[in-house]
Amino acid sequence: MNERLTRYGPGILVALTAIAVYANALANGFAFDDVFIVQNNPRVHALHDLRSIWMKPYWPSFGVELGLWRPLTILAYAVQWAVAGDAPWFFHLVNILLHATASVLAFRLLFVLTRHTAAALFGGLLFAVHPVHTEVVANVVGQAELIAGVTTLAACLLHASRPEGSDVSWPRRVGLVILFLAGTFAKESAIVLPALLIAIDVAQQRVTLQRASLNRYLRSLAMPVFLLAAGAVYYFSLRVSVLGSIGGLDAAPSLPFLRSEHRVLIAFRAWLEYARLLVFPLDLSADYSPGVILPVEGWTPMVALGAVVFIGTAIIAAATPWFPRAGITAAWLLITALPTSNLLLPIGVVVAERLLYTPSLAASLAVAYLWQRIAQAEQPQRTRRLAYALAGLVLVLLAARTYVRNPDWKDNDAVFAAMIRDHPESYRSQRHNAYLAYQRGHTQLGDGYMRLAHRMWPQDPELLNEIGFLHLGRAQFDSAVAVLEQARAITDWVARTQVLLAEAYIGARRFDDAMHTAREAVAVGAALELVYPIYAQAFEGTGRLDRAVGAWRATIRTSPLGFWNYWSRLARTLALSGDRDAALAAADSARAAAPAADSAAQAITRDLRAEIAAGCYRTGQPRPDCRDEVGQWQLLAPIITNVKNAKKSQNAMPKASEVAEPDTALAHPNIEIPTS
């Protein structure tokens, strides 16, 4: 019994600690990206549709543009949804168990590398409680990091634990390939596994810089490397077939400076933040966008210091053959953090705590080796006790920081409340302040916050869309055009931007521009029920009433809600074109579609029919007693509401190639809506 406790006790302690420190995350719901990736994602809700799960991008909308493909993660969500439905506690339970598994694997790997139980235990406990992991474990979409972390740590443990001097056996080779593919299918960053395996071999001194040793090592590693390379080729071939490229069109649409020539400088600044988060994780944030971290265009003290940290890490990593303990620590951080550091290629963020899940093992390695050194040195008993007490205090403080932060990921309101509390300098914090003010009816205060957010960071196209949306709702069409044109200049592939801009052009009576922008909206995948009303208003504005009638009919046929507003506009346009009988029939349909409880809608449709019957809309014969209330609409509200609330899924945003030809898509033969 004592032997078993000695053997398995440390691992059990690490697992129980990881579970205990994240237990309160079970009360969390779906927050932030969880809403789009899990809660509202039709692919996650259809476990039977394996082709959709495996052969579509990770993000439900703009997946190809953002360049993310994580089919194993989507499959894992689909299985959990099939088991527990929309119960978020089950997803969080899976996250906690995965983290406990990763923590035990970290402990075992540290033990294999240090051959010291206490050192490995302290390092494993540090990994289990480190606050930088909160975003990963307490937020459902962190499961991608968790799966990739578990598979990477398991592969490294499998490789490092083989007998001294032996080749990699076939069972281990097969295991490495399976874990490698599982990791990469869960998260792109797991692609670095082969480099980690070589770094571990160098640190374990299975190979030296002598020619004979190198030749022997290369021969023994030839087959494992070949198998892993074949796995990588298979992964990238599937990735390209799904995304059309390896990296996507634009991984960071709200942060265009990450695509500029100054990206490397920004990456150096971020590297300094990595070091701070691993060593002193007191100040944490769900968002590190401007102005938490500002873009740079030259060498600043923070950039220079970050460059020193990065270069120093690289130098120490290169010294692994001579200084294996320090070398493998630096190499682990360098290899695992490099793909998500913006140094090699732009990613979607400047800094994100979730990206440090696997790299954070470097902190555990440093602590384990330090503890091993202290334990092996001759120290007075009092000094040892003080070291144990200090280590325990550090672990308790870190665990407390993690436990307190877990509820910050309870839901969207909690996330933004934490951002506003901890980092009001973030432009996203001020944007959320604006939303809160609008919800409470404080329009002027909300406008002030929105202007502040825009001044803090004027290059986020989604923020520009929101401002344009506000201008549209207030009939400030010229201002809306100006703002939305800025958004389009940053990301011209976003359907929502194109639709809102087209509506702004309609309001500004720039009908030709609206028509052209509507074509662009279709080309980037805008839903047809959003585009047809734009064409209808543009045709009507340019006097092509027969085509306007066809567009209104197409709008009604494609609109999932069948807005009575659309029937009213169709009735008016038919009356203007001289088809009085069809206009009266459309007016009757408008009144039938109007909610019975909406007295205003009932009154408008009743008056519309009466005006049509009285001949109010005959071309060239205006009558002063006709109110023409319907003719004053721009129909912005229902269309904008559709754009804002449209489901963010691939199925809801058809590509131009999936849109039917105009003559087959529409009920009226006279409408022409080209898609190119």
Side-chain angles (χ1 to χ4, degrees):
M1 181 67 180
N2 290 335
E3 182 180 346
R4 288 186 177 181
L5 185 61
T6 301
R7 183 177 180 182
Y8 299 110
I12 294 173
L13 177 61
V14 169
L16 292 178
T17 301
I19 292 171
V21 80
Y22 283 102
N24 61 338
L26 289 172
N28 288 357
F30 295 114
F32 242 32
D33 293 349
D34 297 351
V35 176
F36 306 113
I37 300 298
V38 179
Q39 189 177 28
N40 296 336
N41 191 350
R43 294 166 60 209
V44 169
H45 308 163
L47 180 58
H48 62 278
D49 191 0
L50 293 179
R51 179 173 179 80
S52 176
I53 290 172
W54 281 89
M55 300 307 293
K56 285 190 176 181
Y58 178 66
W59 271 97
S61 59
F62 312 132
V64 170
E65 290 83 358
L66 297 177
L68 298 181
W69 179 59
R70 300 167 185 172
L72 184 60
T73 302
I74 296 296
L75 177 63
Y77 295 145
V79 171
Q80 292 164 68
W81 191 277
V83 172
D86 61 349
W89 70 266
F90 188 77
F91 292 84
H92 288 291
L93 176 62
V94 172
N95 275 21
I96 294 171
L97 294 178
L98 282 170
H99 176 59
T101 302
S103 300
V104 173
L105 289 170
F107 159 71
R108 291 298 305 165
L109 179 59
L110 293 171
F111 176 75
V112 169
L113 293 175
T114 63
R115 294 299 174 184
H116 194 284
T117 302
L121 177 60
F122 186 39
L125 289 172
L126 176 62
F127 189 89
V129 304
H130 202 297
V132 82
H133 297 163
T134 309
E135 180 178 355
V136 171
V137 186
N139 195 213
V140 171
V141 293
Q143 208 163 115
E145 303 285 350
L146 289 164
I147 298 173
V150 166
T151 54
T152 298
L153 290 170
C156 290
L157 177 60
L158 180 66
H159 189 70
S161 60
R162 71 190 190 275
E164 186 69 28
S166 67
D167 293 340
V168 182
S169 64
W170 269 105
R172 290 181 189 271
R173 293 172 183 175
V174 173
L176 289 175
V177 172
I178 292 174
L179 290 168
F180 177 55
L181 289 176
T184 52
F185 285 152
K187 181 75 188 292
E188 299 83 356
S189 55
I191 198 71
V192 300
L193 175 62
L196 289 175
L197 300 182
I198 294 173
I200 288 173
D201 280 347
V202 175
Q204 290 183 309
Q205 297 184 326
R206 295 178 185 270
V207 57
T208 65
L209 297 182
Q210 297 175 350
R211 177 175 295 180
S213 177
L214 285 172
N215 289 336
R216 184 172 60 254
Y217 179 73
L218 291 175
R219 285 195 301 270
S220 68
L221 211 63
M223 182 54 68
V225 168
F226 171 78
L227 293 174
L228 291 174
V233 170
Y234 176 64
Y235 164 74
F236 280 116
S237 64
L238 286 177
R239 182 179 178 86
V240 171
S241 70
V242 173
L243 300 177
S245 64
I246 291 179
L249 174 66
D250 183 1
S254 63
L255 304 174
F257 60 84
L258 291 178
R259 303 190 302 274
S260 73
E261 67 273 18
H262 306 296
R263 190 185 77 239
V264 172
L265 298 179
I266 297 162
F268 286 152
R269 169 65 182 87
W271 204 267
L272 186 61
E273 202 70 19
Y274 295 159
R276 180 192 69 79
L277 287 168
L278 293 180
V279 175
F280 192 70
L282 179 62
D283 181 18
L284 301 170
S285 177
D287 176 66
Y288 287 85
S289 300
V292 182
I293 295 180
L294 294 169
V296 294
E297 297 182 355
W299 287 92
T300 67
M302 298 293 277
V303 171
L305 187 56
V308 169
V309 171
F310 173 77
I311 295 171
T313 303
I315 291 173
I316 297 172
T320 303
W322 301 278
F323 305 98
R325 295 176 179 179
I328 186 58
T329 301
W332 185 279
L333 178 60
L334 181 70
I335 293 169
T336 56
L338 196 59
T340 56
S341 66
N342 287 298
L343 279 169
L344 300 180
L345 71 165
I347 63 170
V349 294
V350 180
V351 170
E353 293 162 17
R354 62 184 178 273
L355 302 180
L356 290 175
Y357 187 74
T358 303
S360 69
L361 185 72
S364 295
L365 280 165
V367 166
Y369 282 127
L370 178 62
W371 192 268
Q372 180 190 32
R373 187 182 185 91
I374 293 174
Q376 291 174 346
E378 298 250 348
Q379 298 288 348
Q381 190 67 18
R382 182 178 179 182
T383 302
R384 290 180 180 275
R385 290 177 180 174
L386 181 61
Y388 275 104
L390 181 61
L393 177 62
V394 170
L395 289 175
V396 169
L397 291 175
L398 292 174
R401 179 71 180 99
T402 297
Y403 191 84
V404 169
R405 188 169 184 245
N406 288 335
D408 286 350
W409 292 93
K410 183 176 183 180
D411 51 33
N412 282 346
D413 289 340
V415 172
F416 282 110
M419 285 173 53
I420 294 169
R421 178 194 68 217
D422 298 332
H423 287 280
E425 73 274 22
S426 168
Y427 83 96
R428 286 176 174 164
S429 295
Q430 298 308 320
R431 182 173 67 174
H432 190 66
N433 270 333
Y435 297 154
L436 293 176
Y438 291 136
Q439 290 173 4
R440 295 164 184 166
H442 304 314
T443 303
Q444 291 185 344
L445 181 61
D447 289 348
Y449 280 128
M450 194 64 82
R451 286 193 297 270
L452 177 59
H454 182 244
R455 285 200 300 270
M456 293 170 71
W457 184 239
Q459 296 187 58
D460 182 350
E462 182 56 30
L463 175 61
L464 293 170
N465 280 343
E466 294 296 335
I467 295 173
F469 170 73
L470 292 173
H471 286 312
L472 280 172
R474 298 168 184 173
Q476 298 168 339
F477 301 118
D478 291 336
S479 300
V481 166
V483 171
L484 293 168
E485 284 180 341
Q486 294 178 44
R488 182 177 62 177
I490 299 173
T491 51
D492 60 359
W493 45 265
V494 176
R496 181 177 187 237
T497 303
Q498 302 284 12
V499 171
L500 289 175
L501 179 57
E503 277 296 346
Y505 283 139
I506 290 291
R509 304 192 66 77
R510 294 169 57 176
F511 300 116
D512 290 337
D513 289 333
M515 197 86 69
H516 176 73
T517 304
R519 295 190 190 100
E520 293 180 346
V522 172
V524 297
L528 293 178
E529 66 262 24
L530 305 181
V531 177
Y532 287 152
I534 298 169
Y535 277 103
Q537 294 174 90
F539 285 141
E540 190 169 312
T542 55
R544 290 175 282 183
L545 297 179
D546 56 340
R547 295 186 179 180
V549 166
W552 286 124
R553 291 191 186 279
T555 299
I556 293 167
R557 292 182 63 183
T558 57
S559 174
L561 299 179
F563 287 111
W564 62 272
N565 320 57
Y566 295 151
W567 279 107
S568 299
R569 283 301 295 260
L570 172 61
R572 181 181 181 277
T573 305
L574 284 167
L576 286 171
S577 67
D579 195 342
R580 180 175 178 275
D581 292 338
L584 289 172
D588 290 337
S589 296
R591 189 167 188 190
D598 190 341
S599 58
Q602 289 290 329
I604 290 172
T605 53
R606 182 183 62 248
D607 292 345
L608 172 64
R609 192 187 194 287
E611 290 175 352
I612 293 173
C616 283
Y617 298 105
R618 286 181 296 182
T619 304
Q621 300 181 27
R623 289 178 49 178
D625 58 325
C626 295
R627 297 170 55 196
D628 192 16
E629 184 172 351
V630 174
Q632 299 171 23
W633 295 345
Q634 291 294 338
L635 283 186
L636 297 173
I639 295 173
I640 295 173
T641 301
N642 270 353
V643 179
K644 188 176 183 181
N645 297 332
K647 291 183 179 180
K648 294 180 178 292
S649 70
Q650 290 294 103
N651 294 333
M653 306 291 283
K655 300 299 180 187
S657 59
E658 299 172 347
V659 177
E661 290 298 319
D663 56 347
T664 60
L666 305 176
H668 198 282
N670 293 326
I671 184 169
E672 296 177 5
I673 301 184
T675 59
S676 61

